Amino acid sequence: MFENLTKTELYAILTGVFTACLIVSNIIAGKTFDFFSFILPCGVIIFPIIYIVNDVLAEVYGYEKARNVILLGFFMNLVAVICYTITIWLPAPAFFENSQAFAIVLGSTFRLLMASFAAYLVGSLVNARLMTYLKRWDEEKLFFRCIASTLFGEGLDAIIFIFIGFFGTMPIEALLAMIIVQALFKTIYEIIVYPITRTVINNVKKLPEN
């Protein structure tokens, strides 16, 4: 799959994929769906790609390079949000009838925006840091590293996003249920796609450096 690439070339590709998926996830997260009587943001459907790339970056390239991609993703998402905001503010011509729908889809409250940014930074960085730390502890247990890092990273992501974004708008029991369900949902998702993660990591490790 990657035989004609070097690790350096693939790093650039993974950076682009990660950043694009992050921006997409923050757009589609504006819609929620019912999951066995629980509510989840639709952003979880693109989660496997984001965390597979995150795991590959941390496992193959190390924490420092994974952190650089995470921070770049944060910056580009901020650029996207600024562009959305300016676009919404600009006056539309009379014949354009979809300004309100456009604003609803791409607009976001300041509270949810801060919740999303804080949760993303903490969750992604903890995931990458834990992957690299556990690798030094036992390099053979890739499955354990992937699942443990996702559980902790996504647990923190869910706690930060849901409490900052929704505290005071619903009962505390509902907040706790959302946190637990979202963290478990994504962890189970990671378990299901682990064979793909392992295959990608093993293939990338075989690539030449330059």
Side-chain angles (χ1 to χ4, degrees), residues 179-190:
I179 291 170
I180 294 171
V181 171
Q182 182 167 322
L184 289 179
F185 181 88
K186 291 185 176 181
T187 302
I188 293 171
Y189 221 159
E190 174 81 357

Side-chain angles (χ1 to χ4, degrees), residues 186-204:
K186 291 185 176 181
T187 302
I188 293 171
Y189 221 159
E190 174 81 357
I191 293 172
I192 293 172
V193 302
Y194 170 74
I196 300 174
T197 306
R198 180 187 59 204
T199 300
V200 172
I201 288 174
N202 290 337
N203 286 336
V204 173

